Amino acid sequence: MAGSNNGGEAEKSLKEKGNEFFKAGNYLKAAALYTQAIKLDPSNATLYSNRAAAFLSLVKLSKALADAETTIKLNPQWEKGYFRKGSVLEAMEKYDDALAAFEMALQYNPQSAEVSRKIKRLGQLQKEKQRAQELENLRSNVNMAKHLESFKSELSANYGAEECWKEMFSFLVETMETAVKSWHETSKVDTRVYFLLDKEKTQTDKYAPAVNTDKAFESPHTHSNCFTYLRQYAEESFSKAACLVTSKSSISYPQVWKGQGSRKWKLGQNDGIFVQFESPSIRNVWFISSSKEKGQTLCRDPQALDIGAHEILPRIFKEVSKSSS
């Protein structure tokens, strides 16, 4: 009987020493002392709970979770085991499981302000994690085609031959998506005009499918010279269509977002990407606004603009009416 009492006192002494080291921030020493105490009293739920807290502080999460589970097994109606389990699962970012554990803790101790705070905090973390995943999906799964249905219909109406308008539409979508992906990765795009070359007529050794235009928007003079060159390039290369891609911040002239009246800009002050589509029958321009959320760059949906008010370049192709095309 005396031996049993001595064992209990030794276990108590080890536990108290462990608590002192835990409070002092020496979690490794605390865990070691709790382990010694557990050897003397292996059915003591408090010891496993304390060691779970020490392992959690040491970021030994699998060991902490095992001790939390043992705490629950030894004393299923004690909220502390569920609290420990919830805390470990939270550290593992398993928020749904953590929330379930904290709700069990609250069931056994409805007055616990600490558990209530954890549940509220986890609800916020769940929302943040969900939004972060949504952002990542938006950044990685770029789909411009779904935003261009009305333009697809316009192309179809103007270019009767399906092969012709589908090629133009794919060209626009691919150009726009490439620009958005580049923006997501680097927060910039190369200022270029991309050309849809004629596979049969274009001399591909002489005419490339893209022309750098980074100097075009420095002044009215460079703008005029570039436009003249692009119009000649489009004609001599037998291009079917063209797409200008440039960032708003790279344009010194023309600053089409500074107009008044019908030309007034309605898309905020953020930087973003202009995409201007040019063809003999159809012209259109879009602005893709950019923003920062949770440290990530995100392009918003493309917004069609009135090209009469917001064109970045004048008409590149000689105009062909629908009736004569």
Side-chain angles (χ1 to χ4, degrees), residues 92-262:
M92 291 177 166
E93 296 187 6
K94 296 181 178 179
Y95 299 137
D96 289 337
D97 293 338
L99 192 58
F102 286 129
E103 285 171 347
M104 284 295 291
L106 196 64
Q107 183 178 318
Y108 289 110
N109 185 4
Q111 308 304 318
S112 174
E114 187 178 19
V115 175
S116 296
R117 282 195 300 272
K118 279 284 191 181
I119 289 173
K120 186 177 180 180
R121 168 73 179 144
L122 268 178
Q124 184 61 34
L125 285 173
Q126 277 183 310
K127 288 179 183 177
E128 289 177 3
K129 186 177 181 181
Q130 184 178 356
R131 182 54 184 162
Q133 187 60 54
E134 288 172 359
L135 284 173
E136 189 52 43
N137 289 340
L138 287 170
R139 281 167 51 82
S140 57
N141 301 318
V142 177
N143 181 0
M144 291 291 110
K146 67 182 181 181
H147 303 295
L148 300 170
E149 285 298 321
S150 61
F151 184 69
K152 182 198 281 189
S153 300
E154 190 180 352
L155 273 177
S156 174
N158 277 268
Y159 293 93
E162 185 175 1
E163 184 180 348
C164 180
W165 71 258
K166 277 194 171 181
E167 185 183 20
M168 287 189 179
F169 186 70
S170 296
F171 165 68
L172 170 62
V173 168
E174 184 179 339
T175 302
M176 202 177 271
E177 288 184 353
T178 300
V180 168
K181 288 172 184 175
S182 173
W183 192 272
H184 281 164
E185 291 171 10
T186 64
S187 295
K188 64 181 181 179
V189 290
D190 293 322
T191 299
R192 289 177 178 167
V193 174
Y194 297 87
F195 289 92
L196 179 59
L197 303 174
D198 190 307
K199 295 173 184 175
E200 296 178 0
K201 297 179 182 178
T202 304
Q203 292 177 257
T204 52
D205 58 334
K206 187 176 179 181
Y207 296 99
V211 174
N212 288 329
T213 54
D214 52 323
K215 304 293 184 184
F217 306 108
E218 292 180 351
S219 69
H221 177 69
T222 58
H223 186 260
S224 176
N225 286 346
C226 180
F227 155 66
T228 302
Y229 173 77
L230 291 171
R231 175 170 267 201
Q232 183 179 351
Y233 193 96
E235 185 176 348
E236 293 178 355
S237 64
F238 297 100
S239 293
K240 300 176 182 179
C243 263
L244 164 69
V245 173
T246 183
S247 65
K248 179 183 172 188
S249 58
S250 68
I251 300 175
S252 295
Y253 175 87
Q255 294 190 342
V256 298
W257 54 92
K258 290 191 174 179
Q260 297 298 320
S262 64

Side-chain angles (χ1 to χ4, degrees), residues 7 10-12 14-15 30-52 55 63 67 70-71 74:
E11 169 266 311
K12 184 178 180 182
L14 288 167
K15 175 191 166 189
L33 287 163
Y34 294 141
T35 299
Q36 290 179 47
I38 285 168
K39 288 177 181 176
L40 297 175
D41 190 2
S43 61
N44 189 321
T46 302
L47 294 173
Y48 284 99
S49 172
N50 289 3
R51 192 171 70 173
F55 281 144
K63 287 185 176 182
D67 276 357
T70 303
T71 303
L74 290 171

Side-chain angles (χ1 to χ4, degrees), residues 59-85:
V59 201
K60 295 181 181 294
L61 301 183
S62 58
K63 287 185 176 182
L65 185 60
D67 276 357
E69 296 283 14
T70 303
T71 303
I72 293 168
K73 185 177 180 181
L74 290 171
N75 192 347
Q77 295 186 335
W78 186 37
E79 88 276 359
K80 188 65 76 172
Y82 302 101
F83 182 83
R84 297 287 185 228
K85 182 178 179 180

